[in-house]
Amino acid sequence: MIKVLFVCLGNICRSPMAEGLFRDLVGKRELADRIHIDSAGTHGYHIGDPPDERACRAMAHHGVDIGRLEGRKVRAVDLDEFDYVLAMDRSNLRDLERLAGGPRSHVRLFLEFAGNSTEREVPDPYYGGPEGFERVYALLEDAAVGLLGDIERRLSRP
Ligand code: 4NP
């Protein structure tokens, strides 16, 4: 089992969108029983909350229901348990590295896996309008394809 954790600040916008999008992609490739997917926030403002309505709407627009996800805060043990810990922006990455006691090779920016975009941070859509969530979706989709390719190569190694 390969374990993937998506991390943003609040765990109500970007990382639950990434979780839902990646789970949908992994399901379509029939790899759901080989890849465990979760998300968390660096801060505890929204523990137990469902994703932001705008995030739910943007995902529903693409046929993915994330309405039953619940916010949680990232824990130090996550950094040992997950094979990929993927930060949405550099601030999230710094917080994760602080929690880990330094840089770790499996703790990275999610957009490092993006094939089409040269952007490396998923912008925080919290204080903007719905178009920000569509932009987030497009960036996440690009990186999700690259990440799945990386995992498939790992799974096919003897
Ligand atoms: P997220 O967005 O990190 O993508 O979930 C935010 C959610 C909540 C807050 C900030 C960003 N907040 O300040 O509560």
Side-chain angles (χ1 to χ4, degrees), residues 12-97:
I12 56 165
C13 297
R14 293 164 293 175
S15 62
M17 288 176 70
E19 177 182 350
L21 192 160
F22 195 58
R23 182 170 293 122
D24 183 61
L25 179 63
V26 161
K28 285 176 179 152
R29 300 276 184 101
E30 299 190 346
L31 286 168
D33 56 346
R34 306 203 57 189
I35 305 175
H36 173 78
I37 305 161
D38 196 2
S39 67
T42 54
H43 290 65
Y45 307 135
H46 296 285
I47 293 171
D49 290 351
D52 187 284
E53 262 181 44
R54 297 164 297 172
C56 292
R57 230 174 282 134
M59 293 305 295
H61 184 69
H62 293 278
V64 182
D65 178 9
I66 60 167
R68 278 177 293 276
L69 297 181
E70 278 186 20
R72 77 167 177 93
K73 191 176 174 194
V74 68
R75 304 161 298 170
V77 66
D78 291 320
L79 301 163
D80 296 322
E81 287 183 355
F82 283 83
D83 301 290
Y84 294 82
V85 179
L86 301 171
M88 296 298 135
D89 63 32
R90 290 192 174 86
S91 167
N92 307 149
L93 183 61
R94 268 194 303 277
D95 286 339
L96 288 169
E97 287 177 347

